[in-house]
């Protein structure tokens, strides 16, 4: 039997987000892709969607007239941003020496970086993120 409240009687919401994620200065694209990967990941924290499907699921609603390749590029940039924060790791999957897909693993919050390894290509008009690098 499931309940709609926690043991301390606080009501459960449909989505729980840890403050550590909410406090990161992620671009809205990276945040959306992270949510999508979390939803797609199994209990082992692994997901395997293509860049094309990530772009369609995450960005088609906001950019209904954009070419599929544009949405795919947004997905690639968002995934790269998540990697720079160490929110996810990405490994290429291959068959007979040809890349077939990517394997994404959600990392533990304790392993997230306090600053990204490099600035996101999705951030417009920012010259310096203050503290970028150093890892």
């Amino acid at each position: 039997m499931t309940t709609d409240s926690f043991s301390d009687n606080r009501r459960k919401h449909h989505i729980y987000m840890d403050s550590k994620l909410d406090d990161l200065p992620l671009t809205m694209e990276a945040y959306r892709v992270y949510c999508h990967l979390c939803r797609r990941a199994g209990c082992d924290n692994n997901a395997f969607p293509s860049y094309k499907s990530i772009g369609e699921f995450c960005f088609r609603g906001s950019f209904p007239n954009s070419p599929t390749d544009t949405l795919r590029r947004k997905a690639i940039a968002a995934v790269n941003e998540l990697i720079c924060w160490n929110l996810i790791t990405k490994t290429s999957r291959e068959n007979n020496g040809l890349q077939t897909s990517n394997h994404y693993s959600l990392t533990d919050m304790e392993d997230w970086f306090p600053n990204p390894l490099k600035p996101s290509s999705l951030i417009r008009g920012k010259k310096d993120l203050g503290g970028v690098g150093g890892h």
Side-chain angles (χ1 to χ4, degrees):
M1 183 162 129
T2 61
T3 64
D4 288 339
S5 62
F6 293 101
S7 61
D8 63 0
N9 291 325
R10 286 181 296 136
R11 189 166 157 75
K12 286 184 181 178
H13 298 281
H14 294 280
I15 296 172
Y16 169 79
M17 176 192 341
D18 194 277
S19 61
K20 188 169 181 178
L21 175 64
D22 195 35
D23 290 344
L24 287 176
L26 296 174
T27 62
M28 62 184 155
E29 294 92 344
Y31 188 87
R32 175 63 179 98
V33 168
Y34 185 75
C35 291
H36 180 68
L37 293 175
C38 287
R39 184 182 69 82
R40 296 285 304 267
C43 57
D44 61 355
N45 289 329
N46 295 305
F48 307 92
S50 67
Y51 285 131
K52 180 181 175 183
S53 71
I54 293 170
E56 289 294 330
F57 276 99
C58 296
F59 307 123
R60 178 57 67 198
S62 296
F63 303 97
N65 299 320
S66 291
T68 299
D69 196 51
T70 298
L71 303 181
R72 183 179 177 278
R73 284 192 304 272
K74 283 184 155 312
I76 291 169
V79 163
N80 287 336
E81 181 178 342
L82 295 171
I83 291 168
C84 285
W85 285 98
N86 201 40
L87 271 69
I88 65 170
T89 60
K90 179 186 83 169
T91 307
S92 296
R93 297 173 74 194
E94 295 183 359
N95 186 10
N96 295 326
L98 299 173
Q99 182 177 351
T100 58
S101 64
N102 289 318
H103 167 220
Y104 304 99
S105 293
L106 305 173
T107 60
D108 292 333
M109 284 191 310
E110 297 79 32
D111 296 326
W112 294 355
F113 296 152
N115 296 298
L117 293 177
K118 63 182 180 178
S120 173
S121 63
L122 294 168
I123 297 175
R124 307 279 188 259
K126 297 226 175 175
K127 300 281 185 206
D128 178 37
L129 286 180
V132 172
H135 292 282

